[in-house]
Amino acid sequence: MNKSTLWTVVGVIVAVVIAWVLVDVLFSVLWFIGKLAVVAVVALVVFLVLRRAFSSRAD
């Protein structure tokens, strides 16, 4: 195995590790954004239900 082949193997391993970390971070961020969107929708629904419940009692 010559020096060029060794650096190619090391480069491939480093590229795979970096890609693995980047994809992990990307999916973590996307999961957080998706979870945040679901929480916002549920909070809006709960807010509207509570507003309707309290406004009907006031009448």
Side-chain angles (χ1 to χ4, degrees):
M1 185 182 281
N2 60 16
K3 207 172 193 179
S4 176
T5 306
L6 179 65
W7 283 114
T8 301
V9 171
V10 170
V12 168
I13 292 171
V14 170
V16 168
V17 169
I18 290 172
W20 189 279
V21 170
L22 288 177
V23 168
D24 191 40
V25 168
L26 179 67
F27 278 129
S28 295
V29 169
L30 289 175
W31 173 248
F32 178 74
I33 291 171
K35 193 174 179 181
L36 195 63
V38 170
V39 168
V41 168
V42 170
L44 179 64
V45 169
V46 169
F47 171 76
L48 293 175
V49 167
L50 288 174
R51 192 171 82 172
R52 178 174 287 178
F54 287 122
S55 68
S56 65
R57 285 186 178 176
D59 289 340

